[in-house]
Amino acid sequence: MKPEVHAVAPSVALLQLQKLGVCYDQGQLATARWILRDVDLTVHDGEFVTIMGSSGAGKSTLLNVVAQTLAPSAGRIVFGGHTVGGEGMPLQPGSGRRIGYVTQDDNLLPWRTVWDNVMFPLTLAGKPSASDVERAQRLVEQVGLTQWTGHYPHQLSGGMRKRASLARTLAYDPPVVLMDEPFGALDAETRAQLQADLLALWASERKTILFVTHDINEAIALGDRVVVLCGSPGRVALERHLDIPRPRDPETIFKAPSFAGHYDAIRACLRSGGQP
Ligand code: ADP
């Protein structure tokens, strides 16, 4: 893996959630339980945002709304200055291939090899071009799976499956990548290696990432900013810029001078449920 370099501070608003609300029983708004309400969030081009929150606060729901697999009940989603989602607007899953989604499960197709899994989204759009194939080969190499392209998912370790899933998502080059606790089920060592590899990939690919995690260390090690969702309905209870210089080493991030301050603020918010 190449060392992580991310010198340019992200500044252009790419994705905006404005007064976003979700309830799952839209037929009866008077009695419906709102899962998210009045969520305002601006994500900048190239930014790495980590999202934390208590279980049930609506983190996965938020990603599903951004991925446009779930329609918001209120508010709107603005992508690159254009409204792409909102109440009453038709869903456009993946927002026209501009959004990639790495879910908690890797969702690899068991009957396809690693290579065929990585190429799968590209083949859906027709015959992949030579540059598509070249890009996929480079990604497979970057995630360390070159020797494993002919293997099937059941022949891979959990970490390798995550790597394959990441390469598949990046293969079609979406500018935004959503990741929902992708490393949650991995052992500590594999997880630390994948975090480092993800940072290197992010630096070379220049993606905008929204990454849900339950691990405060992971949120601080990876993010430019951490956003904490709390309450019922969930709302943004804390936004904290993580001023730790890059490149970062996730395994030793706790040694950074500002780490303890960030950790304490995030933990306090999570414990209080966002109450001051
Ligand atoms: P988190 O990811 O923060 O743990 P989720 O977004 O998965 O939270 O869920 C938020 C709330 O929405 C939970 O109370 C959950 O039970 C509810 N929920 C999620 N999906 C559905 C659904 N399809 N129908 C009804 N309620 C749902």
Side-chain angles (χ1 to χ4, degrees):
M1 286 280 168
K2 284 187 223 148
E4 177 206 349
V5 182
H6 197 261
V8 182
S11 59
V12 179
L14 181 65
L15 181 67
Q16 290 167 287
L17 310 183
Q18 298 175 344
K19 297 274 173 252
L20 201 77
V22 174
C23 69
Y24 279 109
D25 186 8
Q26 296 185 46
Q28 303 175 25
L29 277 179
T31 55
R33 186 167 71 100
W34 287 81
I35 306 300
L36 294 170
R37 194 122 205 212
D38 288 335
V39 172
D40 286 311
L41 182 66
T42 296
V43 181
H44 296 102
D45 191 14
E47 191 178 16
F48 199 135
V49 176
T50 46
I51 299 173
M52 298 201 71
S54 47
S55 195
K59 303 179 294 296
S60 299
T61 299
L62 184 79
L63 292 195
N64 290 337
V65 171
V66 174
Q68 293 206 53
T69 56
L70 176 67
S73 317
R76 59 186 196 138
I77 307 167
V78 179
F79 194 112
H82 301 282
T83 300
V84 294
E87 195 189 350
M89 287 181 71
L91 285 175
Q92 205 191 348
S95 202
R97 297 168 71 90
R98 290 183 298 182
I99 295 188
Y101 202 166
V102 180
T103 52
Q104 290 178 19
D105 304 321
D106 51 58
N107 289 329
L108 295 173
L109 299 171
W111 58 89
R112 285 177 176 252
T113 62
V114 167
W115 178 250
D116 287 345
N117 265 287
V118 170
M119 293 302 289
F120 182 62
L122 293 167
T123 53
L124 283 181
K127 191 175 176 333
S129 65
S131 69
D132 286 340
V133 174
E134 204 178 296
R135 175 179 170 77
Q137 280 170 337
R138 183 167 48 76
L139 285 165
V140 166
E141 190 185 332
Q142 279 182 288
V143 298
L145 287 180
T146 304
Q147 307 301 320
W148 297 84
T149 49
H151 288 68
Y152 289 88
H154 76 273
Q155 298 173 301
L156 308 179
S157 68
M160 291 157 90
R161 293 170 64 108
K162 289 291 174 198
R163 291 168 183 280
S165 173
L166 190 55
R168 180 184 57 185
T169 301
L170 292 172
Y172 61 91
D173 211 9
V176 176
V177 178
L178 312 177
M179 304 183 80
D180 193 355
E181 288 191 68
F183 307 150
L186 302 173
D187 64 84
E189 201 174 322
T190 307
R191 186 180 181 129
Q193 187 58 55
L194 270 159
Q195 289 167 350
D197 292 350
L198 174 62
L199 286 178
L201 264 177
W202 170 63
S204 64
E205 292 286 315
R206 313 291 310 165
K207 299 298 178 198
T208 303
I209 298 184
L210 269 66
F211 185 107
V212 169
T213 177
H214 272 116
D215 179 342
I216 303 180
N217 286 291
E218 184 168 71
I220 298 173
L222 301 181
D224 292 315
R225 178 164 48 123
V226 63
V227 171
V228 182
L229 290 181
C230 286
S232 182
R235 62 187 171 81
V236 176
L238 176 74
E239 279 190 70
R240 199 169 167 99
H241 287 272
L242 301 162
D243 54 357
I244 302 173
R246 299 182 186 270
R248 299 178 187 166
D249 176 359
E251 280 196 280
T252 58
I253 195 73
F254 61 89
K255 293 182 183 169
S258 60
F259 178 87
H262 293 311
Y263 191 100
D264 289 346
I266 296 165
R267 189 177 56 174
C269 182
L270 289 167
R271 284 196 172 170
S272 70
Q275 302 301 316

